Amino acid sequence: MDSFARWLVRHPLTVVVANLVVTLVLGMYAVHVRIENSIESLLPAGDPEVEYYNRTRAIFGSDDVAVIGVLADDIFAPGTLQKLARVTDALGKIEGVDNVLSITNAPDLAVDVVTPPRLVPRIPLPPEDVAALKEKLVATPFYGKNLVADGFKGAAINVFFKNLTATQYLDLGIDGKIMAVLDGERGPERWFYTGAGHLTQVAVEMIRRDLVTFTPLALALVLVVLAFSFRTVRGVVLPIVSVGGALVWTLGIMVLAGKSITLGTSILPPLLLVVGSSYAIHVVARYYEQVWAGVGPDTLVFRAFQRVWLPLAISALTCVIGFGSLMVNRITAIWDLGLFAVIGVICLTVTSLTLLPATLQLLPADLRTAKSGRASPTLVANLDRLARRAFASRTQILWGAALIALVALVGTQRIRVDSDYIYYFKPTSPVRIDNETINKEIVGSNLFYVVIEGAPDLMRRWEVLKQVKELQRFLLTQPGITSSVSLVDVLELLESGQNKGGEGDLVVDEQGNIVPVASAKTFWEEPARLEKVLSWVSMSPSTFKSVVTPDFAKASVMVRTRLSGSSQIEDTLQRIRAYLAERFPADIPVRLTGALVLQTGTTSDIVMGQIKSLTLALVVIFGVMALMFLSVKIGALAMLPNVLPIVVFFGVMGWFGILLNLGTSLIAAIALGIAVDSTIHYMARLNLELRGETDQAAALQRTVRTVGVPIVDTTIALSFGFLTLAFSSFVPIKNFGLLAGVTMATALGANLVFLPALLATTKIITVWDLLGVRLGQDPARTIPLFKGLSAAQARIVVLMGELRRFAPGETITRQGDLGKEMFVIIRGAVEVWASNNGTRKWLAEHRRGDVFGEMALVRHNERTADVVASSDVEVLAVDERFLARIQRRYPRIASKVFLNLTRILSDRLQRMTEQYVAVRPA
């Protein structure tokens, strides 16, 4: 990347113009982004059950039925009936509505099959007709359980929609037209409105309002953080320009992909805004760090780029892993968020490493800017104090973290999973109040299908219809089930109408006397009568398409329930499935389907998706960290400060009773990917501070004091950016903002307190350090200490020790000084000189691979000679601390190093012995 950085510094204007061109092109698409929502987006993509549901809707009509409820002292009062009739007629004229059914327009098939009158033939009804109608509604659940409330204090208008997509429903403005009709009829009666289409439409409006409200609010908070951090115009404006460009790119790509902002992706704009601001803060912080260090303008941006690009790229990679892990989830809304969050992070990385440094290169770095951009002295002092305490109290900190984790783990046992869409709205929201009022006081508003399948003419068989009848009786015994409608109900009504047609006829016996007419038997009593009733259905199959197919091979039982909550609904569905398995033969498959059934089934998808995405993110990020720091142990230590906030997140959910649903299931993997950013920058800086440093406490302190400033700034930006969403009236967005903000704040404490305590005695090396070590050709052959080691292992040895450089003529060791280390020459040459009685004598010359000062390593005694660099020299200092460190971290490498060191000392001892023997006779 050095070559790219040099090119960027030489051509900043080209880079800025290229970014602007891409922004303009994608911006032309981004302005057309749509905000939509649908129940289908909350269901698993490619699931056979979803495909079956879609086929069922195509056959029997949509289960997306809106229910208009009205409560009044007497629903049969003339004024109330007239309003019901007007609303019913007006709703039927709305484009997209298939038909509307209420007591004012329902046909009374029990009176006449051919030309059925209405249940309410005229308004007002005479008192005697009202009494008769009440008796009929009680006796005929087909009407009574679907159109009026028990006690006749409420009535329902059922609005059946055509098989519309969410986009078609939105474009037709159906929801607004229905609300306009109801607003025109406000009066002493109380009107309520619910239905899947209405709920999703209200959700869309809330999402739109939240985006308009909270994205600017998050932006304002980010601006405040940037102003506090840098106190310069460029420190505020440039990050926002960079992040804004990336956001435009992401939305443009989303439109090009044919996607809209939905419940899942609604958090994407504020999410990318706060994540991108953290990237930009790190870039600008490194820039000002070089400004404060007095680096010249020609190399200022280049040096800053060198220090920031790799940790930022790895941070972006871990963020991509965190977001990308959401794509293992089968639910479309979650998968879409994962995909476009990944694209957004890539765009943020590109603009942060191109547009931002290029713009900084174009601007002058004057002294005033340097002073203004300096970090707050108070913050630096507090961080310095925090670092000292973290190191000194590391044992207490580790035990405290363990206690917090334990309390959180206990809380996780209390987590409840629920995918009920109604819980996405606050209990005080009008849409939820309407839904609960209709369900509790009027009729059940949640529908699902029970589909019976088989060969043609299956539903003409008397015994099959009898089983359906028994099924419906069983359904009414289940808690929360209010009614069901099937072919059986239609047939009973048709037969009742046929029998009514014969009333009033006179029957005369053979003597001419009028005799009483015997009551007509039903097809349940005489199965032979069934075919006559079925003929009415055969003559008009389209009229009865909602309950049976024209070939009588498939039938649908439409079930109404007032239940809310996935656990309650799932318990009921399981009892129904058990009944079906026991009572229906294997050759007549019966299946439950519908949006309610599928949505309840997503509970397991949410749990499994959470487990899979989090596990994938943890495993892959751990692999990245272990590779980055060349150690499984360090990879694990680096993960712990990021796992702790996730554990706390789940604990908070459990202790505070926050449901695990679509919205909250996104947080863990996202928070993990984001929180690792601070860890990577922290550990990369710690590694830099440890070079040439024997006091690890001092290195930790300097790390917290320097990189802690942008970590604090970015976490504040992230936390407050997410917490703005906590003011949303849409529960999933609210919970996401609240929990994500708390998780980010916890991650800050973990990185500034818990992580230093973990790393207090551990040497850190990174993969880019490994790549940066230059040992020349074949170090295993030319440097005896590295014999038997691979090039990578030799680099690890160098990084675990301390590499020192000396200029020509510089003294490396001085005669008479107390020494504790030996030196291995990596590059260059040295001369050995000894002084005796004022006479300085040349003793030897050492080159690459040679060792000197070995007796100081073994005995910690005084140096016996001066060692002076005769050229540019690079030596590896080897002391007891180095040997203990490499033995602890890399025992296999250490065994070879110790063996080679033994050989070197043995060879040196042998040479000294031979010299002594050769000199002794003289």
Side-chain angles (χ1 to χ4, degrees), residues 37-45 50 53-54 57 164-166 331-333 595:
N37 198 25
S38 66
I39 297 296
E40 286 76 9
S41 69
L42 309 181
L43 302 177
V50 176
Y53 165 60
N54 290 331
R57 290 179 66 187
L164 303 172
T165 65
I331 297 176
T332 302

Side-chain angles (χ1 to χ4, degrees), residues 505 507-508 513-519:
D505 291 345
V507 178
V508 181
N513 299 317
I514 298 176
V515 298
V517 178
S519 299

Side-chain angles (χ1 to χ4, degrees), residues 211 254 260-269 333 336-338 340:
L211 285 174
M254 181 182 290
S260 303
I261 292 178
T262 63
L263 175 61
T265 53
S266 62
I267 62 172
L268 192 60
D336 285 348
L337 175 62
F340 290 106

Side-chain angles (χ1 to χ4, degrees), residues 207-480:
I207 291 170
R208 181 179 289 110
R209 186 167 61 247
D210 286 349
L211 285 174
V212 172
T213 303
F214 297 116
T215 302
L217 183 57
L219 176 61
L221 287 173
V222 169
L223 289 172
V224 171
V225 173
L226 290 170
F228 174 80
S229 303
F230 303 114
R231 297 186 297 285
T232 64
V233 174
R234 73 182 63 181
V236 174
V237 174
L238 296 187
I240 294 301
V241 171
S242 173
V243 174
L247 182 56
V248 170
W249 293 11
T250 305
L251 295 178
I253 294 171
M254 181 182 290
V255 173
L256 286 172
K259 294 289 186 175
S260 303
I261 292 178
T262 63
L263 175 61
T265 53
S266 62
I267 62 172
L268 192 60
L271 175 65
L272 294 181
L273 182 64
V274 295
V275 172
S277 66
S278 72
Y279 290 3
I281 286 173
H282 281 295
V283 174
V284 176
R286 296 289 78 77
Y287 168 80
Y288 278 123
E289 187 179 86
Q290 298 306 306
V291 173
W292 304 330
V295 176
D298 295 339
T299 59
L300 181 61
V301 172
F302 175 76
R303 291 279 297 275
F305 190 94
Q306 276 186 314
R307 286 177 177 260
V308 79
W309 81 265
L310 195 51
L312 192 147
I314 295 178
S315 173
L317 174 62
T318 57
C319 207
V320 163
I321 293 168
F323 291 153
S325 66
L326 297 174
M327 296 173 67
V328 303
N329 202 301
R330 301 194 310 153
I331 297 176
T332 302
I334 298 177
W335 193 93
D336 285 348
L337 175 62
L339 172 64
F340 290 106
V342 166
I343 292 172
V345 170
I346 294 172
C347 294
L348 289 169
T349 307
V350 171
T351 58
S352 296
L353 293 178
T354 58
L355 177 62
L356 195 50
T359 309
L360 288 170
Q361 179 66 25
L362 291 172
L363 298 174
D366 55 30
L367 183 61
R368 181 184 60 80
T369 299
K371 290 180 178 179
S372 300
R374 191 175 295 276
S376 165
T378 303
L379 176 60
V380 173
N382 288 330
L383 287 172
D384 187 67
R385 192 177 302 111
L386 179 65
R388 289 199 302 271
R389 290 184 178 177
F391 186 84
S393 307
R394 52 189 177 275
T395 302
Q396 295 92 321
I397 289 172
L398 296 180
W399 278 109
L403 179 61
I404 291 172
L406 180 62
V407 173
L409 286 171
V410 173
T412 61
Q413 307 303 310
R414 301 162 58 93
I415 291 177
R416 292 192 302 118
V417 185
D418 203 302
S419 58
D420 192 344
Y421 198 77
I422 197 63
Y423 290 153
Y424 292 165
F425 304 92
K426 290 181 179 180
T428 56
S429 65
V431 67
R432 185 163 172 179
I433 291 173
D434 280 11
N435 179 275
E436 292 175 349
T437 301
I438 290 174
N439 276 299
K440 291 178 181 178
E441 300 187 36
I442 303 177
V443 297
S445 66
N446 301 320
L447 283 72
F448 65 91
Y449 308 91
V450 180
V451 182
I452 302 100
E453 300 179 288
D457 292 330
L458 171 72
M459 300 310 300
R460 288 179 173 274
R461 291 162 49 186
W462 183 90
E463 66 276 11
V464 175
L465 294 174
K466 186 65 174 177
Q467 286 177 309
V468 173
K469 179 71 172 179
E470 295 300 323
L471 168 63
Q472 290 184 266
R473 288 175 178 166
F474 168 77
L475 290 173
L476 290 177
T477 65
Q478 299 306 298

Side-chain angles (χ1 to χ4, degrees), residues 777-825:
Q777 294 184 351
D778 202 0
R781 185 179 62 82
T782 57
I783 303 176
L785 185 66
F786 300 154
K787 184 178 181 180
L789 298 178
S790 67
Q793 289 174 323
R795 292 190 184 102
I796 289 174
V797 173
V798 171
L799 291 169
M800 291 299 291
E802 183 182 344
L803 206 59
R804 298 179 186 174
R805 296 173 178 84
F806 298 91
E810 193 173 352
T811 300
I812 301 174
T813 67
R814 195 175 301 277
Q815 185 177 341
D817 288 349
L818 187 64
K820 298 185 295 183
E821 56 200 358
M822 80 172 194
F823 300 92
V824 182
I825 301 176

Side-chain angles (χ1 to χ4, degrees), residues 565-606:
S566 295
S567 58
Q568 295 182 39
I569 296 171
E570 184 59 31
D571 288 344
T572 299
L573 295 178
Q574 289 296 351
R575 287 193 294 271
I576 296 172
R577 290 187 181 104
Y579 176 91
L580 295 172
E582 179 184 350
R583 300 297 181 91
F584 279 77
D587 62 337
I588 303 179
V590 185
R591 296 174 66 172
L592 307 183
T593 190
L596 182 71
V597 174
L598 294 176
Q599 200 173 333
T600 302
T602 60
T603 300
S604 59
D605 284 294
I606 289 173

